Amino acid sequence: QLQLQESGPGLVKPAETLSLTCTISGGSISSNNYCWGWVRQPPGKGLELIGSIYYSGSTYYDPSLESRVTISADTSRNQFSLKLSSVTAADTAVYYCARQACADYIWVEFYYFDYWGQGTLVTVSS
Amino acid sequence: EIVLTQSPGTLSLSPGERATLSCRASQSVSRGYLGWYQQKPGQAPRLLIYGASSRATGIPDRFSGSGSGTDFTLTINRLEPEDFAVYYCQQYGSSPLTFGGGTKVEIK
């Protein structure tokens, strides 16, 4: 049974970098046709896609966050990570990691999310 | 960017009734690449439907998806108590991928 677990600080100061890691168990980050992504949800609001990565290194970032986001994968540890720089209070949210169906054609196409972690609340405050 | 508008914002129904949720796209969703998720309070979203009409693994057959182009529907037949939740649609037919704002299905 695939399980995803987010880890990282629950409190980040404004202007600093938010860093989270997702540990995958019961599956491999190097699986063909599966990507690994981050989705966040501000308190009381809807879902916001942050970005995703394929084990080959191909990434997708939402245009609204692209200038501040880096997603990386560590195949040896079966983990992937999120870094979001220059955070403000607007980045306060529950952050979910998730497995994403995708297809590796000429380029990687990113699809829907079929397994999710439980989520972790990150608060941006001084 | 494809904007997904979900309606109604809130749907008040009784157990046993049918729920019909709408997701309307500002442009045609390529290849019908649309998914639906269910989210209960304090929980992560759960994939219900992908490809507009394919049920995800383990999803009961009272959940069904339909539609194409710009208009998509999630139907829940015979609402069970555990079905009262928020539902989101997501399109992945074109970049950037986008989510709808959600429909809350509440007990009447």
Side-chain angles (χ1 to χ4, degrees):
Chain A
Q1 176 76 357
L2 183 71
Q3 291 188 320
L4 305 173
Q5 180 66 58
E6 304 90 351
S7 59
L11 181 64
V12 181
K13 290 182 169 53
E16 294 191 343
T17 295
L18 179 160
S19 295
L20 295 174
T21 296
C22 183
T23 300
I24 303 163
S25 56
S28 172
I29 196 171
S30 303
S31 298
N32 288 332
N33 297 321
Y34 287 111
C35 294
W36 307 90
W38 292 95
V39 177
R40 70 181 184 180
Q41 186 169 36
K45 296 189 177 180
L47 302 171
E48 301 177 358
L49 178 59
I50 301 171
S52 305
I53 190 166
Y54 191 49
Y55 75 90
S56 64
S58 294
T59 54
Y60 166 84
Y61 297 135
D62 187 85
S64 67
L65 296 169
E66 187 167 13
S67 63
R68 299 194 290 133
V69 172
T70 302
I71 296 175
S72 58
D74 186 336
T75 55
S76 66
R77 295 188 176 188
N78 220 29
Q79 296 175 332
F80 61 106
S81 299
L82 167 70
K83 291 189 186 298
L84 180 65
S85 64
S86 305
V87 297
T88 69
D91 295 310
T92 293
V94 175
Y95 285 75
Y96 296 100
C97 62
R99 189 179 78 170
Q100 185 177 25
C102 59
D104 185 10
Y105 297 134
I106 300 173
W107 57 80
V108 177
E109 294 186 0
F110 297 86
Y111 299 155
Y112 53 87
F113 298 93
D114 63 352
Y115 277 93
W116 296 66
Q118 65 185 24
T120 186
L121 174 63
V122 179
T123 301
V124 178
S125 175
S126 55
Chain B
E1 171 177 328
I2 295 180
V3 177
L4 299 179
T5 301
Q6 292 189 240
S7 61
T10 302
L11 196 52
S12 298
L13 294 168
S14 300
E17 292 191 297
R18 172 184 294 177
T20 302
L21 287 66
S22 172
C23 178
R24 182 160 291 176
S26 59
Q27 307 167 42
S28 181
V29 176
S30 174
R31 294 171 284 182
Y33 278 3
L34 187 117
W36 290 93
Y37 301 84
Q38 175 194 68
Q39 186 179 34
K40 298 178 183 178
Q43 295 185 17
R46 176 174 71 145
L47 177 70
L48 300 175
I49 301 287
Y50 63 94
S53 60
S54 297
R55 268 188 302 277
T57 303
I59 301 303
D61 60 7
R62 65 179 181 273
F63 291 91
S64 63
S66 63
S68 63
T70 60
D71 289 306
F72 298 85
T73 300
L74 175 69
T75 301
I76 313 170
N77 285 312
R78 302 178 308 277
L79 279 165
E80 298 284 345
E82 62 267 27
D83 299 336
F84 292 91
V86 179
Y87 293 83
Y88 295 95
C89 56
Q90 178 222 341
Q91 70 82 22
Y92 48 96
S94 59
S95 185
L97 282 64
T98 50
F99 284 98
T103 289
K104 181 179 182 180
V105 179
E106 65 175 22
I107 299 176
K108 186 174 182 180

